[in-house]
Amino acid sequence: MDHLTLPHHLRPRDGRFGSGPSKVRAGSMAALASAGPAVMGTSHRKEPVRSLVRRIREGLAALLSLPDGYEVLLGNGGATAFWDAASFCLIERRSEHVVFGEFSAKFAAAVGSAPHLDDPIVVASEPGTHPSPVPDDSVDAYALTQNETSTGVAMPVARPARDALVLVDATSAAGAVEVDPAGFDAYYFSPQKAFGSDGGLWLACCSPAAVARIEATERWAPPFLDLRTALAESRRDQTYNTPAIATLVLLADQVEWLLARGGLEWAAARSREAAGLVYGWAEASDFAAPFVTRPEMRSRTVATIDLDASVPLESLSAVLRANGIVDVEGYRKLGRNQIRIAMFPNVDLDDLRALTAAVDWIAERL
Ligand SMILES: *Cc1c(COP(=O)(O)O)cnc(C)c1O
């Protein structure tokens, strides 16, 4: 089947639809090529790289409209490392986790195995839905996931209770959908998904309450995961150890690109349009349907679309791949006949239109 050749008009200009790592814009690559000689291969403790970090920290604060007193922290290791760091410096004794897919489950599991914390409360729901947090007096931190990348489910970012921190995994949402900073204390992400940069870093927008808790931490933490150190280094526009400088260049360029287009408001409107296009196509299709049945829970950045058994994912994705369209496979562990399509700001609406038309064309011929 993979010998099927898509007609030219059904070929997206860019075939990258992966949910992370996600499409990196040509403009970002050009920025990397031109900034490269001045920063690549130079010290992250010196001005050219530090000013790159400053652009990212200031750009994110502007993009997310962070109120005075909020600080942008960063470090190495991606969101996965931030979970472990949070277990030392942001969770005092007990956290509650809203679990509805692979990533939210991983944070809960990491905390569950930490000997220095009480067992977390886990509020879970079936894949394709999200649960609501349940206020509990014994909890000092609530862990939410704005967008479960594995299932394509989005949840609201709001405080479940007063007097507890709200830690939001925004890896596949930040920079692409709205958020009210009043609803979180740490809004953290890796930059290779919604932001279309490269992997290896974590960034966290922290409220004064989160900063205060980090500063008040008394327990030992592995130095690499110690947010007290990350806070001090970030304030100097540095990281504890050597960062991937290319990742910083791509992220700085992306943040400024978003700001130049109208910031979060522009990005969110664009995500709404993209989601309308993809879910609208699936709803009208006789072989495809949105996996998330409740429209209000559907992600506007990652669409999960179930396919009829007559359109096997393996054959479809083989044909797509042979035609330069990659990474639309659904999350492996969900075990469904499903495609997953990233609708991040970098993915062109015309390319999404071409993709859905290409899938129709292939489905007819399988
Ligand atoms: C990808 C992802 C992560 C993990 O990111 P890494 O950079 O691989 O550590 C965490 N949370 C969500 C929601 C993700 O999509």
Side-chain angles (χ1 to χ4, degrees):
M1 277 304 168
D2 50 1
H3 59 268
L4 282 175
T5 302
L6 279 173
H8 190 74
H9 70 281
L10 296 182
R11 283 170 187 268
R13 269 171 308 180
D14 196 299
R16 291 172 291 178
F17 295 98
S19 299
S22 66
K23 176 185 167 188
V24 179
R25 274 182 311 104
S28 293
M29 292 306 294
L32 180 57
S34 74
V39 291
M40 295 294 292
T42 76
S43 170
H44 60 294
R45 309 267 175 230
K46 293 290 185 289
E47 202 39 51
V49 178
R50 287 174 67 184
S51 73
L52 205 53
V53 171
R54 192 172 316 121
R55 277 167 57 200
I56 291 169
R57 296 180 67 230
E58 289 174 358
L60 286 172
L63 186 68
L64 297 169
S65 304
L66 298 181
D68 281 351
Y70 280 59
E71 297 190 52
V72 180
L73 276 57
L74 73 165
N76 281 312
T80 304
F82 189 79
W83 292 331
D84 291 335
S87 81
F88 284 98
C89 300
L90 284 170
I91 301 169
E92 250 165 30
R93 287 248 54 88
R94 190 175 206 209
S95 50
E96 177 176 310
H97 297 253
V98 168
V99 170
F100 53 113
E102 181 72 11
F103 294 107
S104 44
K106 267 190 169 166
F107 187 15
V111 167
S113 67
H116 57 281
L117 296 174
D118 292 348
D119 284 343
I121 297 177
V122 173
V123 186
S125 71
E126 286 304 305
T129 66
H130 71 75
S132 293
V134 180
D136 188 297
D137 284 344
S138 70
V139 162
D140 57 71
Y142 290 86
L144 314 183
T145 300
Q146 193 176 16
N147 195 76
E148 222 336 320
T149 323
S150 62
T151 57
V153 173
M155 71 173 293
V157 172
R159 288 186 183 279
R162 290 154 55 94
D163 303 328
L165 297 184
V166 180
L167 316 178
V168 181
D169 184 346
T171 298
S172 55
V177 296
E178 305 92 334
V179 69
D180 179 357
F184 64 72
D185 294 294
Y187 189 73
Y188 64 90
F189 54 88
S190 303
Q192 77 278 17
K193 298 194 182 175
F195 275 106
S197 173
D198 209 352
L201 276 185
W202 58 259
L203 295 106
C205 303
C206 293
S207 73
V211 170
R213 186 167 299 178
I214 290 169
E215 286 175 326
T217 302
E218 281 176 2
R219 70 164 63 97
W220 173 85
F224 180 70
L225 299 173
D226 194 332
L227 293 178
R228 289 163 292 194
T229 306
L231 177 64
E233 293 289 351
S234 300
R235 284 175 173 167
R236 290 194 287 267
D237 297 314
Q238 295 185 50
T239 46
Y240 172 59
N241 64 321
T242 317
I245 292 170
T247 301
L248 295 171
V249 175
L250 297 173
L251 178 57
D253 182 74
Q254 180 71 9
V255 169
E256 287 163 6
W257 181 80
L258 287 166
L259 285 168
R261 267 164 176 71
L264 209 52
E265 211 176 305
W266 172 82
R270 209 218 68 102
S271 297
R272 248 191 305 281
E273 197 178 345
L277 198 153
V278 173
Y279 293 121
W281 159 75
E283 280 176 328
S285 166
D286 52 10
F287 67 88
F291 167 54
V292 180
T293 51
R294 293 175 60 173
E296 75 279 11
M297 292 189 181
R298 283 179 195 157
S299 164
R300 281 182 264 129
T301 51
V302 174
T304 43
I305 307 293
D306 278 343
L307 303 173
D308 196 80
S310 63
V311 186
L313 172 66
E314 241 174 77
S315 318
L316 173 68
S317 64
V319 177
L320 288 171
R321 214 163 254 285
N323 285 276
I325 299 171
V326 300
D327 298 340
V328 299
E329 292 85 0
Y331 206 75
R332 207 168 7 97
K333 288 187 194 155
L334 263 185
R336 301 181 72 92
N337 193 40
Q338 181 176 98
I339 52 174
R340 186 171 54 146
I341 303 170
M343 306 179 290
F344 300 138
N346 281 351
V347 179
D348 290 339
L349 296 177
D350 279 344
D351 282 351
L352 287 171
R353 284 187 197 97
L355 171 65
T356 56
V359 171
D360 284 342
W361 188 89
I362 296 165
E364 239 172 67
R365 286 159 181 82
L366 282 181

